[in-house]
Amino acid sequence: MEEQVGALWHRAITRLSERRHPFAAVTLEEVAVPIGIFFRALGGDGGLQVEAAEASAHGARRGFLQRLAGLDEKVELAWRDERSLRLPARIDLFAERALNRDLYIWLAALAAQQTGPTRDWLVESQDQARRTLSRFPGLRPRYRRLLDAHLDLRPDPRALPADERAREEAIRLALKDPGSVTRLPTARRPPYPVVLWLHPDPELPAGACSDPSGGEAQDIDRDAAVESLGERRRRRAERVAMPEKDQGLITIRMENILTWGEHVQVDRGTDEEDDLERARTAAADLDRISVARDRQASGARLKFDLDLPAESEDDLVLSEGILLPEWDWRKGTLCPNQCRVVPLIAADATPCALPEHLRRTAHRLRHQFQALAPARVWQRSQSDGQEIDLDAYLRFATDRQAGAGTHADGLYRDMRKGARDLVCLLLSDLSLSTDTWVDDHARVIDVIRDSLFLFAESLAATGDRFGMLGFSSRRRDPVRIHSLKDFDEPHGAGVRGRIAAIKPGYYTRMGAAIRYSTRLLAAQPGGRRLLLILSDGKPNDLDRYEGRYGIEDTRRAVQEARALGLTCFCVTIDERGNDYLPHLFGTGGYVVIRRPTELPAQLPVLYARLTA
């Protein structure tokens, strides 16, 4: 009975105090793609990804019913850092769905005008709003509607104490006339959140720094890769001292524990939460995750890192490698000799025939690609050939009759096979994430292997010169480049054997792999040279290459390749590819294969379209 009465009371008081409008809600997942395009179109940083912002406690004055129901303690405000544009995962502040959507648009436009870290929240927020309305006057009617709706939600200044009243009136004036207020009056309580402005004091998220023990190995779980935008939130972190092990909760009365503990020991042993769903819910309830260094040696340790195989079990190293530069986007400089690229070739690859399950598809593709092969054409002015070249003979006879000294060379023509002036290099990602499963019956590495098989069979039918490489990395030394087919090597059982021997490697230092491939491809003769990149995820590695650093270095490597006249195109099976690939390759420089199992058949067809 007590539980039923409590549930009824909770529903009743929540209904009375609720100020949100769930039926008019708009989620970030619905608008993430158009908002990202809109943000970049207004001049926003193209390297930022749209992610959900974490709610934070605002500490402002709340009404009696809100305090009684425990509502409106937190608010989701927009902000941006060097990696992401963070927007509320869900907006249901207004009764009209169109207004909630307009708020996403306004916040994205406002963030595009942010020039650096916020030092004076009031002044800089007004400057951002003024610049936005000045540069994009079409947003003024939308801003006016949002302003009227937001002012209705803010507390009435007449009901506030004198100090809070003066501050609320100043904020209202700053919203109505951006730039008119230069100083915010002080008060005992923080002001009511301004949802039309960016976060006044966003803290560095815990995920903003690269985890030296993380990397791609933590992304193996495919379930974690498909979580929604609303779940992809980052937590604020603080470093604290390690608590004493002997101090626990035994002497504390359990009814005094109101929430989950603030300290979360990272290097836990026996006290792990077995219920993963409950652990996720608990983590979502924490505003701040505290991290401490435990200086006591662990009795047992699981080393979550990847060691290179023994030399006897590894691929054959072809050379000591070459040193390549890397782009440091923070400094804006190309740092020389940062990566060592080591070429390898499978030492135990047994020549083999095409797998049985691919033969029918390969037969169909070969017939289709043979149509791309150039027709036989007459080659004129040859020193020897099937027929006399009448035009050349007439010129020779005329010159001889006129007394000009001529030689009887190039008087024949010959029917020969034409050639497309095109060369292609396929660079395939062989990182550890390719060991994941798709559709519960095939691994990503198996899909990539089948794609390479069919790609090679198709291009062999056209006569185009092509090469194939695979790559993975373990920090910047070494970046491993696996040779699958050289440009001058005929396609056959040996190439198939090396393709069959590929296996998941380590991490994805894509910039170094692209620079190495660019050197090889640029040295090949050809009127058109295509660098085709096959990937299943973002660039990353164990070190600082994780995150924005890897994205910007890869983008720079693509720009360098295009400056040499190469065509760079990326094919990915990463369903989040639209978040970062436009920044790397441009809007027309990539394609996302939604169903990975379709990649083997789609890759040759895509090549045909690119080279038509």
Side-chain angles (χ1 to χ4, degrees), residues 225-539:
V226 297
E227 61 183 351
S228 65
L229 274 169
E231 295 171 333
R232 285 157 48 192
R233 304 181 181 182
R234 302 189 184 276
R235 299 292 185 269
R236 299 174 183 174
E238 63 176 355
R239 187 172 296 279
V240 298
M242 189 69 184
E244 295 294 334
K245 299 276 185 162
D246 297 335
Q247 293 181 359
L249 301 178
I250 300 177
T251 60
I252 301 177
R253 296 180 61 186
M254 300 305 293
E255 59 267 24
N256 292 337
I257 302 177
L258 303 180
T259 62
W260 283 85
E262 194 173 302
H263 179 79
V264 178
Q265 185 178 347
V266 174
D267 189 16
R268 294 190 296 181
T270 60
D271 58 339
E272 286 287 356
E273 175 61 66
D274 293 331
D275 189 339
L276 296 181
E277 188 61 33
R278 200 169 78 179
R280 171 182 287 189
T281 303
D285 290 338
L286 293 175
D287 288 338
R288 189 186 303 270
I289 292 182
S290 302
V291 182
R293 184 181 297 276
D294 190 357
R295 301 189 180 278
Q296 182 176 351
S298 301
R301 182 183 300 275
L302 174 63
K303 186 178 181 181
F304 196 66
D305 196 357
L306 301 174
D307 293 326
L308 297 177
E311 185 176 355
S312 60
E313 302 295 332
D314 199 5
D315 290 344
L316 180 64
V317 177
L318 299 179
S319 70
E320 292 298 323
I322 61 173
L323 296 177
L324 292 177
E326 199 164 78
W327 176 255
D328 190 332
W329 73 279
R330 294 178 181 273
K331 299 178 181 178
T333 59
L334 192 65
C335 303
N337 301 332
Q338 288 296 299
C339 302
R340 187 171 70 95
V341 176
V342 178
L344 306 99
I345 192 170
D348 56 351
T350 303
C352 64
L354 189 68
E356 182 67 31
H357 69 281
L358 297 177
R359 292 184 179 178
R360 177 176 297 180
T361 304
H363 180 74
R364 174 175 56 82
L365 289 173
R366 276 194 294 266
H367 277 285
Q368 294 176 352
F369 274 71
Q370 283 174 354
L372 298 177
R376 294 171 62 85
V377 296
W378 285 107
Q379 301 290 330
R380 298 183 178 274
S381 301
Q382 303 297 311
S383 59
D384 192 10
Q386 300 175 2
E387 298 179 359
I388 295 177
D389 187 347
L390 294 180
D391 293 337
Y393 183 79
L394 288 175
R395 287 194 300 269
F396 166 74
T398 303
D399 293 341
R400 185 174 183 180
Q401 188 69 27
T406 59
H407 298 280
D409 295 333
L411 300 182
Y412 296 89
R413 65 175 188 169
D414 194 20
M415 178 68 77
R416 298 177 183 176
K417 182 181 178 181
R420 298 206 303 174
D421 194 15
L422 184 144
V423 60
C424 174
L425 177 59
L426 177 63
L427 179 64
S428 179
D429 178 4
L430 301 181
S431 57
L432 187 65
S433 60
T434 60
D435 201 26
T436 57
W437 291 80
V438 292
D439 296 342
D440 298 329
H441 67 274
R443 295 183 304 165
V444 173
I445 190 67
D446 299 326
V447 173
I448 291 178
R449 183 181 294 111
D450 290 349
S451 302
L452 297 178
F453 274 130
L454 295 180
F455 184 81
E457 296 294 325
S458 301
L459 266 67
T462 66
D464 293 344
R465 296 182 67 247
F466 70 100
M468 292 192 297
L469 300 174
F471 77 97
S472 67
S473 64
R474 187 177 181 271
R475 297 189 175 92
R476 59 190 181 95
D477 185 5
V479 179
R480 299 159 59 89
I481 301 291
H482 302 266
S483 177
L484 304 178
K485 181 189 177 300
D486 291 334
F487 289 103
D488 299 325
E489 179 183 9
H491 177 59
V495 174
R496 296 190 193 99
R498 290 194 288 272
I499 294 175
I502 66 172
K503 53 185 178 292
Y506 305 98
Y507 303 96
T508 314
R509 210 173 195 96
M510 190 177 292
I514 292 177
R515 288 187 177 91
Y516 179 81
S517 302
T518 297
R519 290 193 174 192
L520 294 182
L521 189 56
Q524 301 300 316
R528 185 180 182 190
R529 290 164 293 187
L530 172 64
L531 177 57
L532 193 58
I533 302 164
L534 181 59
S535 176
D536 73 326
K538 292 167 50 176

Side-chain angles (χ1 to χ4, degrees), residues 31-44 46 48 50 85 108 112 578-579 582 587 590:
V31 300
V33 173
I35 286 298
I37 297 174
F38 180 74
F39 172 73
R40 297 177 181 94
L42 297 189
L48 301 185
V50 178
L85 166 63
N578 288 316
D579 293 342
T587 55
Y590 75 96

Side-chain angles (χ1 to χ4, degrees), residues 83 206-215 540-547:
R83 295 178 54 179
C209 300
S210 176
D211 185 358
S213 65
N540 74 330
D541 209 329
L542 281 170
D543 53 14
R544 60 179 179 174
Y545 209 79
E546 178 74 21

